[in-house]
Amino acid sequence: MFMPDHPTARALLAFRAAHGHRWKAKLLFLWSTGRDVEEANGACLRQLRNQGGPAWLGQLSPRRWRAIERLAEPGDRQTALIFLDRAREFHEGACFGATVALAPALHLLAISCELGLKAYLMSWVWSHEEVARDIRHDLIAAFDEARRLGLPSPGRILVDLLTSLGPAYAGHRIDALVADGYVCDFAAVLRAMGSLLDAVAAGLSLPMPTP
């Protein structure tokens, strides 16, 4: 189901607070007359009309409202910056680890991925405590949530890696994964992970690393 982005979620909550228990009828009227743009945060309300529409508005359940309220909350940006910095350090470690053995290098890469994705989540709506409790070491869950919040697709190479590496990392079975014959183009995977971290940095409005 469609979910608004951070500014649109904030605009919707502000509109609800301003118009009381009949706010949905008010918003539908504004949408139908084109006067939504005259409201505070009118651009966000118009975006919501175009992307969600009346049917979406009518289907908002208490659970979905809680999700929207969470989307509107400020992220834990300071911790996100720390996580992204550590993610780059583990990515660099994976570069050196690849010359030793694949399994340790993959483990370092998985840690880099986990920290990078969690940095993105915390820059939006998740707290440090929430990612530790609810995401834990699940790379697939972190990736899916980051994509839902707007992280650009990292490409097929990294998606394929996460499909294999994610469950092995969560289950502490990377050594077994490699022993069972898992192989990959590690140089290509490193580049893809670097691009992922660059996308996270862009989402946090950070400068890209210099070559």
Side-chain angles (χ1 to χ4, degrees), residues 11-157:
L12 186 61
L13 290 176
F15 186 89
R16 182 182 67 169
H19 293 283
H21 70 282
R22 293 186 56 81
W23 71 271
K24 285 187 181 181
K26 175 69 173 180
L27 184 55
L28 286 171
F29 172 75
L30 293 175
W31 280 351
S32 68
T33 59
R35 294 175 58 189
D36 49 322
V37 294
E38 299 173 7
E39 293 287 311
N41 302 309
C44 289
L45 295 176
R46 176 57 57 88
Q47 177 181 326
L48 187 62
R49 185 203 72 175
N50 293 342
Q51 294 182 325
W56 175 84
L57 188 65
Q59 294 169 3
L60 287 177
S61 63
R63 180 178 63 84
R64 287 169 178 159
W65 260 117
R66 287 193 295 272
I68 291 172
E69 288 169 348
R70 199 162 137 182
L71 280 170
E73 295 174 356
D76 188 350
R77 181 177 174 80
Q78 182 176 1
T79 307
L81 297 177
I82 295 171
F83 269 50
L84 181 57
D85 189 47
R86 297 293 87 76
R88 292 207 186 277
E89 290 179 3
F90 277 101
H91 181 259
E92 184 177 352
C95 296
F96 293 106
T99 63
V100 179
L102 179 60
L106 284 174
H107 190 76
L108 292 171
L109 202 65
I111 297 173
S112 174
C113 184
E114 176 186 349
L115 294 173
L117 291 172
K118 286 182 175 179
Y120 190 84
L121 299 186
M122 287 187 291
S123 74
W124 284 91
V125 299
W126 290 73
S127 68
H128 186 192
E129 293 75 16
E130 286 172 330
V131 296
R133 182 190 67 229
D134 299 334
I135 299 296
R136 299 174 62 85
H137 305 300
D138 190 336
L139 300 183
I140 301 298
F143 175 72
D144 288 344
E145 178 67 6
R147 292 283 290 128
R148 189 180 71 82
L149 292 173
L151 183 71
S153 175
R156 176 52 54 185
I157 291 175

